[in-house]
Amino acid sequence: MQSLPRRSLLKTSFAGAALLLAGQAALAQPKSAELDQLLSKQAITELIYQYPRALDRLDRELLLSIAHADAKVEFGKMGSFPSWAAFADWLIKAHQPMLGNNHRITNVLVQVKGDRAVSESSGTATLLVKKDGADDVYEERWMHSRYLDKWSRRDGRWALDHRQTVTDYRRVLDVAGADVRNRYQIGARTGRDDPSYRLFKDL
């Protein structure tokens, strides 16, 4: 069998190597895009989880870090807020007099397209509040909501642009003050003295 000339073999080898490199580059591009999408989803998810942490600690600085300064809010029957800072201030003022508050977020779904993203998450709040106009009576409130969020990445930083809160379920029960004192265990409002802050700071 006649063998190919050395020059032809070299040309064939170089051509094969070029095709291989081109194929690797083509494969690397979608992987890089997929990695950016996964990292973006993780960054947004962590911001979503910061919301209940900030609210339960009444940490205004942490609340503000979730959104861009010009973010807008539609909060159910409370209506619209012109900025995220205005919403954060309203939240803290509303929660400060509460005897207890606890928030949880689950079912986080995020879709990313370039520097834009949307998400839906489910929020649950359990609140214990002094009942207006009643002597030694509290309201125990269960709130089930969904947060419909729009996000953007500006200068490499993901943050919230717009939040619409949808109420799915609300239940309010009157609880006698004696029952609260004898049957409830409510954690202290520790703010930034909460041990979780030291935990993350010391890592």
mmCIF file of all heavy atoms in Angstrom, residues 82-109:
data_model
loop_
_atom_site.group_PDB
_atom_site.id
_atom_site.type_symbol
_atom_site.label_atom_id
_atom_site.label_comp_id
_atom_site.label_asym_id
_atom_site.label_seq_id
_atom_site.Cartn_x
_atom_site.Cartn_y
_atom_site.Cartn_z
ATOM 1 N N PRO A 82 -42.123 54.105 46.489
ATOM 2 C CA PRO A 82 -41.333 54.745 45.433
ATOM 3 C C PRO A 82 -39.892 54.269 45.355
ATOM 4 O O PRO A 82 -39.232 54.465 44.337
ATOM 5 C CB PRO A 82 -41.392 56.228 45.810
ATOM 6 C CG PRO A 82 -41.578 56.222 47.305
ATOM 7 C CD PRO A 82 -42.433 55.027 47.588
ATOM 8 N N SER A 83 -39.398 53.661 46.431
ATOM 9 C CA SER A 83 -38.015 53.193 46.446
ATOM 10 C C SER A 83 -37.891 52.033 47.420
ATOM 11 O O SER A 83 -38.731 51.840 48.304
ATOM 12 C CB SER A 83 -37.056 54.320 46.857
ATOM 13 O OG SER A 83 -37.259 54.658 48.224
ATOM 14 N N TRP A 84 -36.820 51.271 47.263
ATOM 15 C CA TRP A 84 -36.583 50.160 48.184
ATOM 16 C C TRP A 84 -36.296 50.672 49.587
ATOM 17 O O TRP A 84 -36.695 50.068 50.579
ATOM 18 C CB TRP A 84 -35.428 49.302 47.681
ATOM 19 C CG TRP A 84 -35.192 48.081 48.511
ATOM 20 C CD1 TRP A 84 -34.218 47.904 49.455
ATOM 21 C CD2 TRP A 84 -35.957 46.868 48.516
ATOM 22 N NE1 TRP A 84 -34.316 46.654 50.032
ATOM 23 C CE2 TRP A 84 -35.371 45.996 49.469
ATOM 24 C CE3 TRP A 84 -37.072 46.434 47.800
ATOM 25 C CZ2 TRP A 84 -35.876 44.724 49.713
ATOM 26 C CZ3 TRP A 84 -37.567 45.158 48.045
ATOM 27 C CH2 TRP A 84 -36.971 44.327 48.994
ATOM 28 N N ALA A 85 -35.615 51.812 49.718
ATOM 29 C CA ALA A 85 -35.320 52.374 51.031
ATOM 30 C C ALA A 85 -36.608 52.741 51.763
ATOM 31 O O ALA A 85 -36.735 52.506 52.977
ATOM 32 C CB ALA A 85 -34.416 53.599 50.894
ATOM 33 N N ALA A 86 -37.568 53.311 51.053
ATOM 34 C CA ALA A 86 -38.853 53.652 51.676
ATOM 35 C C ALA A 86 -39.563 52.396 52.156
ATOM 36 O O ALA A 86 -40.166 52.376 53.242
ATOM 37 C CB ALA A 86 -39.728 54.414 50.685
ATOM 38 N N PHE A 87 -39.491 51.337 51.371
ATOM 39 C CA PHE A 87 -40.106 50.069 51.753
ATOM 40 C C PHE A 87 -39.398 49.474 52.967
ATOM 41 O O PHE A 87 -40.050 48.995 53.913
ATOM 42 C CB PHE A 87 -40.047 49.104 50.565
ATOM 43 C CG PHE A 87 -40.623 47.748 50.852
ATOM 44 C CD1 PHE A 87 -41.948 47.597 51.214
ATOM 45 C CD2 PHE A 87 -39.834 46.608 50.739
ATOM 46 C CE1 PHE A 87 -42.496 46.340 51.469
ATOM 47 C CE2 PHE A 87 -40.366 45.353 50.981
ATOM 48 C CZ PHE A 87 -41.692 45.214 51.353
ATOM 49 N N ALA A 88 -38.071 49.503 52.969
ATOM 50 C CA ALA A 88 -37.302 48.966 54.091
ATOM 51 C C ALA A 88 -37.628 49.708 55.380
ATOM 52 O O ALA A 88 -37.800 49.093 56.449
ATOM 53 C CB ALA A 88 -35.803 49.044 53.793
ATOM 54 N N ASP A 89 -37.739 51.024 55.316
ATOM 55 C CA ASP A 89 -38.069 51.814 56.507
ATOM 56 C C ASP A 89 -39.472 51.475 57.015
ATOM 57 O O ASP A 89 -39.701 51.397 58.228
ATOM 58 C CB ASP A 89 -37.961 53.310 56.192
ATOM 59 C CG ASP A 89 -36.525 53.760 56.009
ATOM 60 O OD1 ASP A 89 -35.606 53.050 56.476
ATOM 61 O OD2 ASP A 89 -36.300 54.820 55.383
ATOM 62 N N TRP A 90 -40.411 51.294 56.082
ATOM 63 C CA TRP A 90 -41.768 50.922 56.484
ATOM 64 C C TRP A 90 -41.782 49.542 57.150
ATOM 65 O O TRP A 90 -42.456 49.348 58.177
ATOM 66 C CB TRP A 90 -42.696 50.936 55.271
ATOM 67 C CG TRP A 90 -44.078 50.475 55.606
ATOM 68 C CD1 TRP A 90 -45.090 51.222 56.151
ATOM 69 C CD2 TRP A 90 -44.599 49.145 55.465
ATOM 70 N NE1 TRP A 90 -46.208 50.432 56.344
ATOM 71 C CE2 TRP A 90 -45.931 49.161 55.924
ATOM 72 C CE3 TRP A 90 -44.063 47.952 54.976
ATOM 73 C CZ2 TRP A 90 -46.737 48.020 55.921
ATOM 74 C CZ3 TRP A 90 -44.857 46.818 54.967
ATOM 75 C CH2 TRP A 90 -46.181 46.856 55.441
ATOM 76 N N LEU A 91 -41.043 48.597 56.588
ATOM 77 C CA LEU A 91 -40.978 47.250 57.164
ATOM 78 C C LEU A 91 -40.446 47.281 58.599
ATOM 79 O O LEU A 91 -41.012 46.665 59.502
ATOM 80 C CB LEU A 91 -40.069 46.359 56.315
ATOM 81 C CG LEU A 91 -40.651 45.769 55.039
ATOM 82 C CD1 LEU A 91 -39.549 45.046 54.265
ATOM 83 C CD2 LEU A 91 -41.799 44.808 55.336
ATOM 84 N N ILE A 92 -39.365 47.978 58.802
ATOM 85 C CA ILE A 92 -38.753 48.021 60.130
ATOM 86 C C ILE A 92 -39.694 48.696 61.135
ATOM 87 O O ILE A 92 -39.868 48.214 62.261
ATOM 88 C CB ILE A 92 -37.394 48.745 60.068
ATOM 89 C CG1 ILE A 92 -36.386 47.862 59.313
ATOM 90 C CG2 ILE A 92 -36.880 49.069 61.465
ATOM 91 C CD1 ILE A 92 -35.042 48.502 59.093
ATOM 92 N N LYS A 93 -40.312 49.790 60.727
ATOM 93 C CA LYS A 93 -41.252 50.482 61.620
ATOM 94 C C LYS A 93 -42.433 49.583 61.976
ATOM 95 O O LYS A 93 -42.901 49.571 63.123
ATOM 96 C CB LYS A 93 -41.743 51.767 60.959
ATOM 97 C CG LYS A 93 -42.656 52.602 61.842
ATOM 98 C CD LYS A 93 -43.068 53.895 61.142
ATOM 99 C CE LYS A 93 -43.984 54.724 62.044
ATOM 100 N NZ LYS A 93 -44.390 55.991 61.365
ATOM 101 N N ALA A 94 -42.915 48.800 60.989
ATOM 102 C CA ALA A 94 -44.054 47.914 61.230
ATOM 103 C C ALA A 94 -43.698 46.753 62.143
ATOM 104 O O ALA A 94 -44.532 46.269 62.919
ATOM 105 C CB ALA A 94 -44.596 47.395 59.897
ATOM 106 N N HIS A 95 -42.446 46.287 62.076
ATOM 107 C CA HIS A 95 -42.052 45.096 62.837
ATOM 108 C C HIS A 95 -41.465 45.411 64.213
ATOM 109 O O HIS A 95 -41.440 44.541 65.077
ATOM 110 C CB HIS A 95 -41.046 44.267 62.036
ATOM 111 C CG HIS A 95 -41.670 43.489 60.915
ATOM 112 N ND1 HIS A 95 -42.068 44.076 59.736
ATOM 113 C CD2 HIS A 95 -41.973 42.171 60.797
ATOM 114 C CE1 HIS A 95 -42.586 43.161 58.937
ATOM 115 N NE2 HIS A 95 -42.544 41.997 59.557
ATOM 116 N N GLN A 96 -41.007 46.634 64.426
ATOM 117 C CA GLN A 96 -40.382 46.971 65.708
ATOM 118 C C GLN A 96 -41.278 46.717 66.923
ATOM 119 O O GLN A 96 -40.821 46.177 67.930
ATOM 120 C CB GLN A 96 -39.888 48.415 65.692
ATOM 121 C CG GLN A 96 -38.528 48.569 65.026
ATOM 122 C CD GLN A 96 -38.086 50.015 64.951
ATOM 123 O OE1 GLN A 96 -38.909 50.935 64.966
ATOM 124 N NE2 GLN A 96 -36.784 50.241 64.838
ATOM 125 N N PRO A 97 -42.570 47.080 66.896
ATOM 126 C CA PRO A 97 -43.401 46.864 68.085
ATOM 127 C C PRO A 97 -43.880 45.421 68.259
ATOM 128 O O PRO A 97 -44.493 45.104 69.276
ATOM 129 C CB PRO A 97 -44.591 47.800 67.846
ATOM 130 C CG PRO A 97 -44.689 47.934 66.373
ATOM 131 C CD PRO A 97 -43.288 47.858 65.867
ATOM 132 N N MET A 98 -43.619 44.558 67.308
ATOM 133 C CA MET A 98 -44.089 43.177 67.408
ATOM 134 C C MET A 98 -43.358 42.435 68.514
ATOM 135 O O MET A 98 -42.159 42.639 68.738
ATOM 136 C CB MET A 98 -43.884 42.448 66.074
ATOM 137 C CG MET A 98 -44.721 43.001 64.946
ATOM 138 S SD MET A 98 -44.461 42.065 63.402
ATOM 139 C CE MET A 98 -45.494 43.013 62.273
ATOM 140 N N LEU A 99 -44.100 41.572 69.190
ATOM 141 C CA LEU A 99 -43.477 40.761 70.235
ATOM 142 C C LEU A 99 -42.587 39.684 69.628
ATOM 143 O O LEU A 99 -41.555 39.318 70.183
ATOM 144 C CB LEU A 99 -44.559 40.119 71.110
ATOM 145 C CG LEU A 99 -44.076 39.383 72.357
ATOM 146 C CD1 LEU A 99 -43.344 40.349 73.303
ATOM 147 C CD2 LEU A 99 -45.261 38.745 73.079
ATOM 148 N N GLY A 100 -42.991 39.188 68.482
ATOM 149 C CA GLY A 100 -42.189 38.184 67.799
ATOM 150 C C GLY A 100 -42.472 38.200 66.312
ATOM 151 O O GLY A 100 -43.582 38.509 65.883
ATOM 152 N N ASN A 101 -41.443 37.922 65.513
ATOM 153 C CA ASN A 101 -41.633 37.795 64.068
ATOM 154 C C ASN A 101 -40.623 36.794 63.513
ATOM 155 O O ASN A 101 -39.464 36.751 63.934
ATOM 156 C CB ASN A 101 -41.503 39.143 63.349
ATOM 157 C CG ASN A 101 -40.139 39.768 63.497
ATOM 158 O OD1 ASN A 101 -39.796 40.259 64.573
ATOM 159 N ND2 ASN A 101 -39.355 39.770 62.439
ATOM 160 N N ASN A 102 -41.113 35.962 62.587
ATOM 161 C CA ASN A 102 -40.261 34.945 61.994
ATOM 162 C C ASN A 102 -40.662 34.783 60.531
ATOM 163 O O ASN A 102 -41.843 34.622 60.218
ATOM 164 C CB ASN A 102 -40.413 33.621 62.746
ATOM 165 C CG ASN A 102 -39.462 32.568 62.222
ATOM 166 O OD1 ASN A 102 -39.803 31.848 61.297
ATOM 167 N ND2 ASN A 102 -38.290 32.471 62.815
ATOM 168 N N HIS A 103 -39.685 34.832 59.647
ATOM 169 C CA HIS A 103 -39.940 34.757 58.206
ATOM 170 C C HIS A 103 -39.132 33.630 57.576
ATOM 171 O O HIS A 103 -37.986 33.381 57.966
ATOM 172 C CB HIS A 103 -39.561 36.084 57.531
ATOM 173 C CG HIS A 103 -40.386 37.246 57.980
ATOM 174 N ND1 HIS A 103 -40.171 37.876 59.196
ATOM 175 C CD2 HIS A 103 -41.431 37.899 57.385
ATOM 176 C CE1 HIS A 103 -41.049 38.878 59.319
ATOM 177 N NE2 HIS A 103 -41.809 38.907 58.241
ATOM 178 N N ARG A 104 -39.741 32.963 56.597
ATOM 179 C CA ARG A 104 -39.092 31.873 55.870
ATOM 180 C C ARG A 104 -39.364 32.045 54.370
ATOM 181 O O ARG A 104 -40.439 32.486 53.978
ATOM 182 C CB ARG A 104 -39.619 30.510 56.319
ATOM 183 C CG ARG A 104 -39.256 30.141 57.745
ATOM 184 C CD ARG A 104 -37.767 29.775 57.849
ATOM 185 N NE ARG A 104 -37.405 29.380 59.205
ATOM 186 C CZ ARG A 104 -36.934 30.193 60.120
ATOM 187 N NH1 ARG A 104 -36.802 31.481 59.822
ATOM 188 N NH2 ARG A 104 -36.601 29.771 61.317
ATOM 189 N N ILE A 105 -38.394 31.671 53.549
ATOM 190 C CA ILE A 105 -38.567 31.708 52.100
ATOM 191 C C ILE A 105 -38.215 30.343 51.521
ATOM 192 O O ILE A 105 -37.195 29.752 51.872
ATOM 193 C CB ILE A 105 -37.719 32.812 51.453
ATOM 194 C CG1 ILE A 105 -38.346 34.189 51.744
ATOM 195 C CG2 ILE A 105 -37.579 32.615 49.959
ATOM 196 C CD1 ILE A 105 -37.678 35.345 51.050
ATOM 197 N N THR A 106 -39.092 29.845 50.629
ATOM 198 C CA THR A 106 -38.890 28.544 49.996
ATOM 199 C C THR A 106 -39.281 28.638 48.517
ATOM 200 O O THR A 106 -39.674 29.698 48.037
ATOM 201 C CB THR A 106 -39.746 27.451 50.667
ATOM 202 O OG1 THR A 106 -41.138 27.843 50.594
ATOM 203 C CG2 THR A 106 -39.371 27.269 52.131
ATOM 204 N N ASN A 107 -39.193 27.481 47.834
ATOM 205 C CA ASN A 107 -39.650 27.352 46.438
ATOM 206 C C ASN A 107 -39.073 28.452 45.545
ATOM 207 O O ASN A 107 -39.796 29.118 44.804
ATOM 208 C CB ASN A 107 -41.179 27.396 46.355
ATOM 209 C CG ASN A 107 -41.836 26.275 47.132
ATOM 210 O OD1 ASN A 107 -41.166 25.355 47.602
ATOM 211 N ND2 ASN A 107 -43.135 26.331 47.273
ATOM 212 N N VAL A 108 -37.769 28.639 45.623
ATOM 213 C CA VAL A 108 -37.112 29.697 44.852
ATOM 214 C C VAL A 108 -36.873 29.219 43.421
ATOM 215 O O VAL A 108 -36.191 28.214 43.194
ATOM 216 C CB VAL A 108 -35.781 30.105 45.506
ATOM 217 C CG1 VAL A 108 -35.087 31.168 44.670
ATOM 218 C CG2 VAL A 108 -36.013 30.613 46.924
ATOM 219 N N LEU A 109 -37.436 29.944 42.456
ATOM 220 C CA LEU A 109 -37.240 29.666 41.036
ATOM 221 C C LEU A 109 -36.660 30.916 40.382
ATOM 222 O O LEU A 109 -37.209 32.006 40.521
ATOM 223 C CB LEU A 109 -38.565 29.303 40.360
ATOM 224 C CG LEU A 109 -39.267 28.042 40.876
ATOM 225 C CD1 LEU A 109 -40.641 27.924 40.236
ATOM 226 C CD2 LEU A 109 -38.435 26.799 40.572
#
